[in-house]
Amino acid sequence: MRRRTVLATALAAAAAAPGTARAATPGPSLTERGSTRLDAQAVYFVSYDGLVNNNSFQKNGLLTYKGYQYAVWYTATRNAVVARRVLGGSTWSTVTLSHQLKSDDSHNVISMGVSRTDGRLHLNMDSHSDGYFYVKSVAGLMDNPASTAWTSSVFGAVQTSIDGLALTSRFTYPQFIATPEGRLQLSYRAGMSGNGRNALAEYDGSTWAALGEWTSSTGTYTSEHGSSTVRNMYLHGIDYDVNGRLHAFFTWREQNAAVMCNSGGITNHDTGYVHSTDRGRTWRNDAGTVVGTTGGSDTVAVTDSGLVVDPLGPDHSLMNQESQFTDSAGLPHAIISYVPGRFGRCTTDYVADRTAGGRAFHVRKNAAGTWQKTEIPVPLNSSQRTKLVLDRYDNAYAVFPYGRIAAASKASGYTDWALLYDGSDLNAFGEVVIDETRIAQDGVLSFMYQEKSTGTTPSALHVVDFALPV
């Protein structure tokens, strides 16, 4: 891969006091650090228009902790693998687990989490509305990586529960998140697409406990075309900010296709937002009103007021599970994407219409408490998802399918979105998996991608690194 440096124009900071000079706050920039290969022959099949090793909703498929970076994937022999390297190093050490991918379903991703209370690495894998597989490392592995052998002996047996806690028989979309105190939470969906509920479990360093479901699948939603009484909430993410508030953007997906103008579209509608100030025990709308209690009888429902921050009907092929991030002040940002009305008022082929006319939008809450939305002037050219990250100066970066990267500066109010990297030298299939944890640690944007292939012919899996402004 050829090295390249792409720089956006540096933007001035707030005016300095009279008679003094002050360095400008950097605008967004990328300096390519190079690429490493994880696997020359990773499993390859396309389902739901995606790859099992590179679904961008796969929270922590790539993770950085205490000077080491970790990656997970499935090999050509369908074995689950976990690897690590010294941060920025060129060599990965791999451990092959005993589990093998059970079906050609791109939703059956592997997700990682770290419990800071005991220094364990946790993996949840291979589930889509059915049973999951779980494995955890020995205590202290993540705290003392240089002095702990990286072999299969540091991982326990693969389980079909989390230490005896079953949670649900219809499990999908594991996302591990660390609380400010260092406990580890697991977000997941119970149920199925169009009829599911979001739930949480929590690990205190010794025991997992089910906190319960916090969203509802019932209630009546009515569009201009028809009504639906069953649905599920798809999360764009679930993340703690610097102040300890838990944020979640989402879309609703209806079970009944009668809400759409055409059955070739997708029933996703509206961008919603909730937050929690008590570690996910209760949930509040944007105004701060409690709208749901985890494990209680009153959970977050489509009929609750104050949830929608960007209204959109189900005729535009709105993407679910896109992306979110919080800035240095704890303000929430998200990427959403759909086919704008100027390209037609009714999508009739979800994949084709998103590929031809789909656009991504940056949605954020500003310091005044107002929601703002900016279209990113980069065609999707894909039906797939875009990821969002912010650097230490709160400049925003959108990583599009095929590894293309656009950025906007905080100083402009995020109005100067421009493409910084076209991804043409990657030969990437589509979505990429971002290391959301690395940017704060060493200012590097790192993502995993898989090369394009055909049929079920395995292809190479890589991690590429870009230095952000320091």
Side-chain angles (χ1 to χ4, degrees):
M1 175 183 292
R2 63 183 182 275
R3 289 183 63 85
R4 67 176 71 182
T5 301
V6 191
L7 296 176
T9 303
L11 297 167
T20 65
R22 187 166 150 189
T25 299
S29 67
L30 299 170
T31 303
E32 189 174 326
R33 286 258 189 98
S35 176
T36 57
R37 191 174 70 185
L38 290 167
D39 192 337
Q41 296 282 295
V43 71
Y44 188 98
F45 57 84
V46 179
S47 80
Y48 298 98
D49 207 29
L51 302 181
V52 71
N53 286 328
N54 278 95
N55 261 313
S56 67
F57 58 73
Q58 176 185 353
K59 193 176 183 71
N60 296 339
L62 195 62
L63 177 150
T64 295
Y65 191 77
K66 293 193 174 181
Y68 278 70
Q69 189 174 40
Y70 300 81
V72 284
W73 72 93
Y74 297 104
T75 67
T77 58
R78 308 178 73 87
N79 285 96
V81 168
V82 56
R84 73 176 184 183
R85 65 169 172 170
V86 174
L87 197 59
S90 60
T91 303
W92 292 85
S93 300
T94 63
V95 169
T96 301
L97 302 176
S98 61
H99 182 73
Q100 290 184 300
L101 179 67
K102 66 190 179 189
S103 62
D104 286 356
D105 187 329
S106 66
H107 289 73
N108 291 32
V109 299
I110 308 173
S111 294
M112 292 185 287
V114 179
S115 50
R116 296 200 304 269
T117 54
D118 59 0
R120 295 183 193 267
L121 180 65
H122 302 251
L123 279 66
N124 191 296
M125 51 194 171
D126 203 1
S127 61
H128 186 196
S129 301
D130 55 9
Y132 59 85
F133 299 86
Y134 167 77
V135 65
K136 68 180 181 182
S137 76
V138 297
L141 173 68
M142 306 299 283
D143 295 327
N144 303 289
S147 59
T148 305
W150 188 248
T151 66
S152 58
S153 64
V154 302
F155 291 94
V158 176
Q159 307 175 46
T160 54
S161 67
I162 49 173
D163 292 343
L165 187 63
L167 297 179
T168 177
S169 61
R170 292 191 175 275
F171 181 99
T172 317
Y173 305 130
Q175 297 190 67
F176 288 107
I177 44 174
T179 70
E181 300 81 18
R183 295 190 176 201
L184 184 65
Q185 294 181 324
L186 175 62
S187 168
Y188 61 96
R189 185 187 72 191
M192 303 177 66
S193 176
N195 186 7
R197 288 85 52 207
N198 292 324
L200 287 172
E202 186 174 86
Y203 178 72
D204 63 5
S206 61
T207 305
W208 280 98
L211 302 184
E213 297 176 359
W214 61 273
T215 70
S216 171
S217 59
T218 60
T220 299
Y221 166 79
T222 301
S223 74
E224 61 182 294
H225 310 292
S227 297
S228 175
T229 58
V230 183
R231 70 200 47 81
N232 69 266
M233 176 195 286
Y234 274 107
L235 297 178
H236 288 319
I238 184 166
D239 299 280
Y240 284 98
D241 67 18
V242 293
N243 304 310
R245 176 174 289 195
L246 185 59
H247 302 263
F249 285 90
F250 63 87
T251 61
W252 294 107
R253 176 176 292 179
E254 300 300 322
Q255 187 182 67
N256 191 352
V259 301
M260 294 188 294
C261 59
N262 187 282
S263 61
I266 194 166
T267 59
N268 296 338
H269 62 90
D270 297 319
T271 297
Y273 168 79
V274 289
H275 66 272
S276 175
T277 57
D278 56 6
R279 309 302 187 253
R281 271 61 176 180
T282 59
W283 295 88
R284 299 172 182 270
N285 64 15
D286 184 43
T289 303
V290 174
V291 289
T293 300
T294 301
S297 58
D298 182 17
T299 51
V300 182
V302 72
T303 52
D304 286 329
S305 63
L307 301 183
V308 176
V309 297
D310 188 66
L312 187 72
D315 294 339
H316 298 276
S317 292
L318 175 68
M319 176 52 76
N320 52 281
Q321 298 170 282
E322 195 106 34
S323 187
Q324 67 174 46
F325 215 81
T326 58
D327 65 23
S328 61
L331 295 170
H333 298 240
I335 293 288
I336 65 173
S337 66
Y338 57 88
V339 180
R342 67 180 184 271
F343 296 111
R345 302 298 301 175
C346 175
T347 57
T348 60
D349 184 315
Y350 161 69
V351 172
D353 290 346
R354 280 183 56 86
T355 302
R359 295 295 187 272
F361 299 81
H362 177 208
V363 178
R364 69 184 182 96
K365 190 174 186 178
N366 64 25
T370 302
W371 289 96
Q372 295 183 285
K373 176 181 174 182
T374 304
E375 181 174 341
I376 302 174
V378 178
L380 288 184
N381 296 328
S382 168
S383 66
Q384 298 174 290
R385 299 171 180 86
T386 298
K387 294 294 289 184
L388 174 69
V389 295
L390 273 64
D391 66 22
R392 67 184 60 185
Y393 301 104
D394 289 333
N395 300 309
Y397 301 78
V399 186
F400 284 80
Y402 317 119
R404 298 167 294 159
I405 305 174
S409 65
K410 177 184 178 181
S412 73
Y414 304 100
T415 60
D416 58 354
W417 282 98
L419 189 68
L420 300 189
Y421 174 67
D422 67 9
S424 59
D425 53 350
L426 301 181
N427 191 34
F429 167 81
E431 291 181 4
V432 302
V433 173
I434 299 285
D435 188 339
E436 298 178 1
T437 60
R438 185 174 179 182
I439 293 171
Q441 297 182 50
D442 71 348
V444 172
L445 169 58
S446 190
F447 65 81
M448 181 167 65
Y449 70 93
Q450 189 161 351
E451 292 185 19
K452 295 176 185 175
S453 186
T454 57
T456 57
T457 302
S459 67
L461 189 68
H462 305 269
V463 173
V464 62
D465 302 328
F466 296 88
L468 302 179
V470 295

